[in-house]
Amino acid sequence: MASNSTATLFFLLLPISFLGVTSQQKHSAQINLGSSISPRSLRSSWSSPSGHFEFGFYHEGLGFKIGIWLVGTEQNTVVWTANRDDPPVTSNAILSLHQSGKLLLRTEHGQEKIIANTTYPSTSASMLDSGNFVLYNNHSHIIWESFQYPTDTILGDQLLSAGKELFSSLSDTDHSTGRFHLQMQLDGNLVLYPINTDNSSIDAYWSSETFGNGFKYHLYLNHTGLLAIVNTTSSEMVRSLSLGGGGSSSSENGQKVEIYRATIDSDGIFRLYYHGVDDKNNGKAKNAVMVWKALNNPCEVQGFCGINSFCAIFDDQPNCLCIPGSDFVDLNQKTLGCLRNYSDEGCVYGRENTTFYSMEKMENIMWGDIAYMEASMSMEECENSCLEDCNRGAALFKQDEEDYESDLCLKQKLPLRYLRRDFDNSITTTAFIKVGKKDETTTINGTNSVPTVLVPPGRTQQVITSKIVLIQILVLVIAFVIFSFVSLAISGLYIFKIRILRYKRLGEINGQMGCSGDDELIALRVFSYNELKKATDGFKEELGKGSFGAVYKGVLNRGRKLVAVKRLEKLIEEGEREFRAEMRAISRTNHKNLVRLMGYCAEDSKRLLVYEYMSNGSLADLLFKQAKRPDWNSRVRIAIDVAKGINYLHEQCRTPIIHCDVKPQNILMDDFWNAKISDFGLAKLLMPDQTRTFTGIRGTRGYLAPEWEKNTPISVKADVYSYGIVLLEIICCRRNLEMNVPTIDEIVLSCWIYKCFASRQLYKRGVGEDADKETLEKMVKVGLWCIQDEPVLRPSMKSVVLMLEGITDIASPPCPTSSSI
Ligand SMILES: *[C@@H]1O[C@H](CO)[C@@H](O)[C@H](O)[C@H]1NC(C)=O
Ligand SMILES: *[C@@H]1O[C@H](CO)[C@@H](O)[C@H](O)[C@H]1NC(C)=O
Ligand SMILES: *[C@@H]1O[C@H](CO)[C@@H](O)[C@H](O)[C@H]1NC(C)=O
Ligand SMILES: *[C@@H]1O[C@H](CO)[C@@H](O)[C@H](O)[C@H]1NC(C)=O
Ligand SMILES: *[C@@H]1O[C@H](CO)[C@@H](O)[C@H](O)[C@H]1NC(C)=O
Ligand SMILES: *[C@@H]1O[C@H](CO)[C@@H](O)[C@H](O)[C@H]1NC(C)=O
Ligand SMILES: *[C@@H]1O[C@H](CO)[C@@H](O)[C@H](O)[C@H]1NC(C)=O
Ligand SMILES: *[C@@H]1O[C@H](CO)[C@@H](O)[C@H](O)[C@H]1NC(C)=O
């Protein structure tokens, strides 16, 4: 913390002219005793010297709250709020650094509230450029800082210490405590939970899976965007969540400022954002760009929907829907959950009188709660068993595609929690929900099983204490609901059908043209040769040389957009029409691990392709040329990214695209060190006759599957082979063929690794020196499966992804090759 006092000194010495031009920015950095701000007065906030952060009153609801926000974004991004659950104050409120050394808020009615609770009086305060608001004592020591009391956000250089937590906000505009929290647990695990739960593993919907074994960890965001879990005792990084800017920007000389923030958003997802600072815009921060997120699917956030309701994605948005036999607690707040709307008929001798009940069937529903009964049985038995069971509830039937003996029936009591609809599942699930035939209104004396803690987490939650009040409300609601719901259900059904139709149509279009997953069909731009010549300044700056031609750096849109232009040289007799058709198909690939093709040029015999520009070079540079190899966790992430990109080409397109040239030189790194595959489909484009004996390709021999040379048909498995080699190279940070090695054994990496693996000496022999043992073994096994001589033995890219992510187990691979290479 000593650096903070020197920092203040630095700010004080800054010439005033440096402090920007707008009136807001002219404030000096030090706030002295007696200073005050008010929404009414000229000064309603104190600004940091750079002007990027301000501390003071901001609009919330009909009044104001006190907090810290990032200046310049469209909606000021609030990063901290004082007493966040207090109601907003009116514009007559005054915040002052009182002569007594306290930071006090005086409301309209004369009430006083301490904003910063310090043991000793402070003598000055300061809003620092880091976004930290601090109070100093008379020795210029920091005695209070907002960084110690984070709300939903941590900023660059801020810690979330062991035992501390972040709570989401209620919404983007209401910063009071929301429905989710992120806990840096004392056991070293960083975990996301819905609030008002037991914080047990069933409630957790994401965790960093880091365990300290007695040591404490904290979460740290460094100011170049590295979000990591760090051992508090040794200061070692345990796991990096995001790769970070890698120190590529020159922040030392104070010219380029980058602001990162990690926030648990109101939807419960923990995300890392980047705010660039635009020199043209008065040096203000730009809108957020998301760099990393803990989960992709908002429906996987447990507790997003309340009890007895399930989460489903429509139009990319999560929606909550009631399970059959229940209605929303509050139609205007669908995330609050649903209540059963039928009555109980009692149980006779431990068996339900089944004439009063029926079962509703729903496909692809999942839930995360623990079942009270789990047994292996058929689907029909599962359904009946739940119907006859006296527990009002539901059953989840899990079908095992391969072995019907292991079909499972899981029974669950009401209220049901953590339900979601999930189409993207390897296991087929069917849910059976028990529904009463009798209307709740007829027999009020039957509600004894309605749970008292009905409403899921939230500030709006009102613990309904009196059952009588509840029943009265229910009667009214149900009477209303019976009428309105039927019409709602009917119109809902129509909307649903229309949506499905629309999805189908989209799917058809995509199927014809290219790949699924792209909702916007981005038009491919056709460039003229002269345009590209100008953009690249006469093909001046060569970025690299691929097997089909050189790549040049270029700028479009008057210098605003950087691009990479590839000039194809060895195009074999390819009809104009096919060239364009193929280009169109490739342009529709849209995946975060594929480099985007923006346009092309086909004039006379000239063929050029325009790609988005990747600022951080290729994976080959990263692995083989850097003095310091990228750390193990980053390499694991890169390996998975690449696998996902290839999987997309293979599986998400109607006609699978075979890349044919997967190698580290073709895997590029973007600004945020995400790996993206480039040149996809090019190989196929250049050689439409895939079964032809290959000629012409040079320099990538080490990555080619054996079938290329055997003149046997080429399938997607050829890419799997190349990926396997790349994976082994990522593990070891060396090329597959390397002459400069201690022993002859080590020349061919794939052979050497197999030997080490077979003799269980991976770790001893220094394969992937910095790796953790378990992941290393997993990755090596996957790599060895991928490079099997026999294409059928190689796994699909989908299985590769699942294996690398640890979702499926991996058998021990046999020797990859029958003959030695
Ligand atoms: C200030 O902190 C002390 C202990 O740290 C606590 O006892 C006291 O209640 C706090 N005061 C307020 C107003 O929060
Ligand atoms: C700082 O404040 C403490 C008590 O608040 C006082 O005892 C001390 O003399 C002060 N020191 C200076 C240098 O003013
Ligand atoms: C779960 O964590 C929250 C936030 O720390 C806490 O308020 C709550 O009491 C915890 N619940 C239990 C059952 O420990
Ligand atoms: C954390 O640091 C301590 C002290 O250096 C060390 O003994 C321990 O092994 C570290 N734990 C992990 C999991 O890295
Ligand atoms: C932030 O992390 C990156 C990546 O590890 C590192 O290169 C950089 O030096 C770090 N920056 C600071 C200020 O710690
Ligand atoms: C179920 O209830 C109906 C109507 O009350 C009754 O006629 C029937 O006998 C009951 N069946 C059993 C098995 O109890
Ligand atoms: C209960 O709600 C469902 C909708 O979930 C509705 O179809 C049904 O008619 C309702 N039943 C009663 C008795 O209100
Ligand atoms: C509900 O019905 C049971 C008998 O079926 C009776 O003993 C009980 O008093 C009733 N409760 C109320 C609140 O009417």
Side-chain angles (χ1 to χ4, degrees):
M1 290 301 135
S3 65
N4 275 318
S5 48
T6 45
T8 348
L9 205 66
F10 175 61
F11 299 150
L12 294 173
L13 294 174
L14 284 174
I16 295 294
S17 60
F18 186 76
L19 295 179
V21 280
T22 65
S23 66
Q24 287 286 327
Q25 281 172 283
K26 270 186 193 150
H27 309 152
S28 71
Q30 178 162 337
I31 300 150
N32 292 316
L33 290 184
S35 310
S36 66
I37 51 176
S38 167
R40 271 281 163 86
S41 72
L42 274 177
R43 185 179 278 189
S44 67
S45 65
W46 287 309
S47 170
S48 75
S50 66
H52 292 313
F53 288 98
E54 282 182 21
F55 173 89
F57 290 95
Y58 67 86
H59 271 285
E60 185 157 304
L62 297 172
F64 297 87
K65 278 196 179 177
I66 292 170
I68 298 171
W69 62 93
L70 184 56
V71 181
T73 54
E74 249 162 53
Q75 242 187 344
N76 276 354
T77 308
V78 175
V79 295
W80 184 79
T81 304
N83 303 331
R84 66 196 299 200
D85 292 322
D86 286 358
V89 294
T90 62
S91 62
N92 290 322
I94 297 172
L95 178 73
S96 61
L97 187 59
H98 196 256
Q99 295 294 351
S100 63
K102 289 178 182 160
L103 188 62
L104 282 182
L105 170 71
R106 195 175 306 113
T107 63
E108 190 174 20
H109 309 294
Q111 284 169 320
E112 284 192 342
K113 194 133 204 180
I114 297 177
I115 296 297
N117 187 3
T118 58
T119 341
Y120 299 105
S122 55
T123 55
S124 64
S126 189
M127 178 71 241
L128 303 183
D129 272 342
S130 55
N132 195 7
F133 184 79
V134 295
L135 296 180
Y136 300 103
N137 66 5
N138 58 2
H139 296 287
S140 295
H141 287 149
I142 291 176
I143 51 171
W144 187 91
E145 52 183 334
S146 61
F147 269 17
Q148 287 285 333
Y149 306 92
T151 50
D152 63 351
T153 297
I154 59 170
L155 292 162
D157 284 342
Q158 189 173 356
L159 287 179
L160 183 66
S161 340
K164 291 254 176 94
E165 52 195 330
L166 301 179
F167 286 90
S168 68
S169 289
L170 210 49
S171 72
D172 289 346
T173 48
D174 183 345
H175 292 91
S176 31
T177 308
R179 306 193 290 136
F180 307 96
H181 64 124
L182 173 76
Q183 199 162 5
M184 184 69 248
Q185 296 183 163
L186 292 172
D187 65 3
N189 206 2
L190 180 71
V191 191
L192 283 166
Y193 298 108
I195 65 163
N196 295 351
T197 61
D198 294 339
N199 312 324
S200 65
S201 58
I202 310 157
D203 303 305
Y205 55 89
W206 176 83
S207 91
S208 62
E209 283 162 8
T210 46
F211 297 97
N213 298 321
F215 291 96
K216 285 179 188 160
Y217 294 162
H218 54 228
L219 176 69
Y220 176 61
L221 174 63
N222 95 358
H223 67 239
T224 52
L226 174 84
L227 187 64
I229 291 173
V230 178
N231 188 337
T232 40
T233 17
S234 66
S235 306
E236 273 172 58
M237 187 165 87
V238 180
R239 185 184 161 191
S240 68
L241 300 173
S242 72
L243 200 48
S248 62
S249 65
S250 54
S251 46
E252 291 82 24
N253 52 20
Q255 277 178 349
K256 191 167 176 214
V257 188
E258 295 178 321
I259 296 163
Y260 285 90
R261 71 178 163 94
T263 303
I264 171 169
D265 285 315
S266 55
D267 64 1
I269 299 182
F270 186 49
R271 297 183 178 89
L272 176 64
Y273 293 97
Y274 165 75
H275 294 267
V277 169
D278 197 347
D279 294 330
K280 289 174 205 107
N281 181 21
N282 261 336
K284 293 271 177 65
K286 286 190 284 195
N287 286 342
V289 177
M290 194 191 61
V291 186
W292 172 88
K293 55 185 165 180
L295 316 109
N296 283 320
N297 182 351
C299 277
E300 279 172 26
V301 174
Q302 296 195 145
F304 183 85
C305 292
I307 54 162
N308 300 336
S309 64
F310 63 93
C311 182
I313 305 274
F314 291 132
D315 290 343
D316 280 343
Q317 293 298 318
N319 280 270
C320 297
L321 299 162
C322 288
I323 57 166
S326 69
D327 300 318
F328 285 113
V329 173
D330 181 348
L331 263 178
N332 295 319
Q333 295 187 64
K334 295 193 175 167
T335 54
L336 290 185
C338 306
L339 284 182
R340 197 151 66 84
N341 67 359
Y342 59 85
S343 70
D344 272 343
E345 279 311 311
C347 219
V348 184
Y349 304 120
R351 276 193 81 147
E352 198 86 275
N353 185 336
T354 55
T355 48
F356 296 115
Y357 296 95
S358 64
M359 297 303 285
E360 294 271 343
K361 187 171 166 184
M362 296 174 85
E363 303 282 354
N364 298 306
I365 291 284
M366 295 280 294
W367 55 68
D369 231 346
I370 289 188
Y372 71 85
M373 196 221 79
E374 188 175 323
S376 171
M377 56 176 84
S378 74
M379 193 190 282
E380 215 169 308
E381 285 165 342
C382 185
E383 183 176 356
N384 286 331
S385 145
C386 184
L387 180 64
E388 286 168 8
D389 198 313
C390 282
N391 287 308
R392 313 287 113 70
L396 187 68
F397 180 72
K398 284 191 185 171
Q399 196 163 6
D400 195 312
E401 305 276 278
E402 261 134 49
D403 178 12
Y404 61 85
E405 294 270 297
S406 33
D407 287 351
L408 264 189
C409 182
L410 306 161
K411 286 201 279 186
Q412 197 82 42
K413 283 181 205 171
L414 285 182
L416 303 180
R417 292 191 302 170
Y418 307 152
L419 275 69
R420 69 188 146 97
R421 188 159 66 197
D422 199 342
F423 293 109
D424 185 32
N425 234 309
S426 36
I427 311 164
T428 318
T429 58
T430 311
F432 293 102
I433 316 254
K434 192 164 172 176
V435 177
K437 290 174 183 163
K438 244 191 181 164
D439 189 331
E440 179 87 300
T441 42
T442 54
T443 48
I444 292 165
N445 184 6
T447 52
N448 51 354
S449 71
V450 173
T452 32
V453 187
L454 299 159
V455 200
R459 191 181 57 132
T460 41
Q461 166 187 4
Q462 283 159 358
V463 181
I464 300 161
T465 41
S466 158
K467 266 190 192 170
I468 296 164
V469 171
L470 174 69
I471 289 162
Q472 283 170 346
I473 293 172
L474 269 179
V475 171
L476 283 174
V477 166
I478 285 165
F480 171 70
V481 153
I482 287 171
F483 288 106
S484 64
F485 226 79
V486 174
S487 56
L488 202 85
I490 289 170
S491 56
L493 200 72
Y494 268 98
I495 292 169
F496 186 67
K497 274 198 173 152
I498 289 166
R499 285 229 169 95
I500 286 195
L501 271 180
R502 212 194 302 157
Y503 276 127
K504 273 195 185 148
R505 229 167 270 149
L506 247 179
E508 277 160 19
I509 293 168
N510 290 333
Q512 284 161 9
M513 315 292 292
C515 305
S516 65
D518 48 348
D519 23 17
E520 36 173 348
L521 300 177
I522 302 152
L524 203 56
R525 189 164 151 200
V526 184
F527 293 90
S528 74
Y529 182 73
N530 280 336
E531 207 174 344
L532 292 182
K533 197 171 167 186
K534 217 173 116 198
T536 55
D537 201 6
F539 302 102
K540 206 162 148 199
E541 192 179 339
E542 191 176 304
L543 292 171
K545 221 171 172 71
S547 35
F548 309 119
V551 184
Y552 302 90
K553 187 172 177 176
V555 283
L556 292 174
N557 300 351
R558 289 193 212 90
R560 259 175 291 166
K561 177 112 194 130
L562 284 174
V563 291
V565 178
K566 179 169 227 176
R567 192 153 64 166
L568 300 183
E569 276 152 14
K570 289 186 236 159
L571 201 83
I572 24 185
E573 70 299 340
E574 176 85 37
E576 179 70 11
R577 209 174 51 83
E578 280 134 296
F579 173 79
R580 282 176 200 266
E582 190 77 53
M583 283 296 91
R584 247 174 257 130
I586 296 170
S587 76
R588 284 193 165 74
T589 57
N590 183 7
H591 189 269
K592 72 176 173 51
N593 299 117
L594 301 180
V595 172
R596 183 152 196 98
L597 179 70
M598 294 165 59
Y600 65 94
C601 160
E603 252 177 50
D604 306 331
S605 63
K606 300 183 191 88
R607 297 287 182 276
L608 295 100
L609 301 170
V610 182
Y611 290 99
E612 62 177 322
Y613 179 73
M614 296 284 116
S615 56
N616 279 320
S618 73
L619 179 62
D621 299 337
L622 195 66
L623 291 181
F624 314 136
K625 291 198 184 141
Q626 302 282 354
K628 190 178 164 291
R629 48 167 70 176
D631 70 61
W632 174 250
N633 288 332
S634 311
R635 270 147 55 208
V636 172
R637 204 193 59 150
I638 290 170
I640 294 177
D641 276 359
V642 175
K644 283 181 175 166
I646 304 176
N647 176 44
Y648 174 85
L649 289 177
H650 289 180
E651 304 228 336
Q652 253 100 314
C653 307
R654 182 169 281 184
T655 20
I657 296 179
I658 309 175
H659 188 291
C660 296
D661 200 11
V662 175
K663 57 179 177 177
Q665 289 78 5
N666 280 343
I667 295 159
L668 305 179
M669 312 303 295
D670 75 1
D671 295 1
F672 301 111
W673 298 93
N674 293 314
K676 297 193 176 201
I677 300 163
S678 71
D679 283 9
F680 43 95
L682 256 194
K684 191 174 162 245
L685 171 75
L686 287 159
M687 295 176 298
D689 180 5
Q690 297 286 330
T691 55
R692 186 158 61 193
T693 316
F694 99 99
T695 52
I697 302 174
R698 290 192 212 302
T700 45
R701 200 170 261 269
Y703 303 93
L704 288 175
E707 58 265 30
W708 284 99
E709 281 157 276
K710 288 188 201 148
N711 208 1
T712 45
I714 299 298
S715 69
V716 289
K717 293 293 179 70
D719 282 350
V720 176
Y721 182 92
S722 311
Y723 174 77
I725 299 287
V726 174
L727 180 59
L728 297 180
E729 292 184 333
I730 292 175
I731 295 170
C732 299
C733 285
R734 56 155 276 197
R735 288 174 214 277
N736 190 28
L737 275 177
E738 185 79 66
M739 292 303 164
N740 192 11
V741 283
T743 62
I744 289 183
D745 269 0
E746 295 180 34
I747 290 179
V748 181
L749 177 63
S750 42
C751 300
W752 181 58
I753 286 206
Y754 181 71
K755 277 187 195 137
C756 298
F757 173 77
S759 58
R760 308 193 142 275
Q761 290 193 320
L762 275 181
Y763 226 54
K764 270 188 222 156
R765 304 279 296 268
V767 175
E769 281 148 3
D770 49 344
D772 75 274
K773 219 166 177 171
E774 200 181 315
T775 328
L776 171 67
E777 196 177 308
K778 188 170 75 184
M779 303 243 305
V780 167
K781 278 198 219 165
V782 173
L784 291 172
W785 274 115
C786 289
I787 58 167
Q788 295 293 318
D789 262 1
E790 208 47 63
V792 291
L793 287 180
R794 295 175 210 150
S796 68
M797 277 325 284
K798 187 168 188 168
S799 331
V800 169
V801 173
L802 291 176
M803 289 191 283
L804 287 179
E805 289 190 326
I807 293 162
T808 39
D809 292 337
I810 314 164
S812 258
C815 181
T817 175
S818 39
S819 59
S820 64
I821 298 171

